[in-house]
């Protein structure tokens, strides 16, 4: 089953979800703003994405700018910040087995699924 960490208010996320729905594959939609991933779940996602924590942060979000920008944070602190403020998590994230991608570029999503 393919999972998508989805934000309905995000146009890129809605477009990605449409591509997934059109693939006729079984998908699980995770509204990560309502049910945020834990720090442990984010750590697993980061491994599947092959990204560092800072690469998954939406650094232009006001929460990041006001509370974290310019500070020296450990990877665990960045993960905890995303767990506590899920709006900071880049979206959408598409998970297929042990691999994941950020699904903003639909041309990368299609071959991935």
């Amino acid at each position: 089953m393919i999972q998508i960490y989805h934000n309905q208010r995000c146009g890129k996320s809605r477009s990605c979800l449409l591509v997934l729905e059109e693939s006729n594959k079984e998908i699980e939609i995770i509204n990560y703003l309502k049910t945020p991933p834990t720090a442990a779940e984010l750590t697993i996602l980061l491994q599947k994405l092959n990204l560092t924590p800072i690469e998954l942060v939406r650094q232009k979000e006001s929460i990041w700018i006001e509370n974290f920008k310019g500070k020296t944070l450990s990877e665990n602190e960045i993960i905890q910040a995303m767990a506590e403020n899920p709006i900071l998590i880049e979206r959408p994230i598409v998970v297929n087995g042990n691999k994941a991608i950020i699904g903003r570029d639909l041309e990368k999503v299609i071959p991935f699924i």
Side-chain angles (χ1 to χ4, degrees):
M1 176 184 305
I2 296 172
Q3 296 174 310
I4 178 172
Y5 286 79
H6 177 62
N7 177 350
Q8 182 58 36
R9 295 183 61 188
C10 172
K12 295 274 187 188
S13 194
R14 288 191 309 268
S15 296
C16 183
L17 179 59
L18 185 62
V19 167
L20 294 177
E21 289 173 338
E22 290 174 349
S23 74
N24 292 322
K25 296 189 179 189
E26 190 174 345
I27 59 174
E28 176 187 6
I29 301 168
I30 301 166
N31 183 337
Y32 69 94
L33 294 177
K34 289 185 180 175
T35 54
T38 64
E41 290 168 332
L42 281 168
T43 300
I44 293 167
L45 266 178
L46 286 163
Q47 291 169 351
K48 291 180 179 185
L49 287 160
N50 195 28
L51 295 177
T52 63
I54 195 66
E55 293 174 305
L56 190 58
V57 172
R58 296 176 56 83
Q59 296 181 48
K60 293 182 181 178
E61 286 289 337
S62 60
I63 291 172
W64 182 262
I65 293 167
E66 293 165 9
N67 298 296
F68 304 104
K69 185 177 181 182
K71 294 183 178 179
T72 302
L73 301 171
S74 70
E75 289 193 346
N76 287 337
E77 289 170 324
I78 295 169
I79 291 168
Q80 192 61 42
M82 287 188 286
E84 293 173 3
N85 305 282
I87 193 71
L88 294 177
I89 302 169
E90 188 61 76
R91 60 186 178 258
I93 299 171
V94 179
V95 180
N96 190 356
N98 289 325
K99 300 273 185 193
I101 62 169
I102 296 174
R104 297 185 69 76
D105 183 351
L106 297 181
E107 292 185 11
K108 292 181 180 178
V109 172
I110 294 167
F112 180 75
I113 59 172

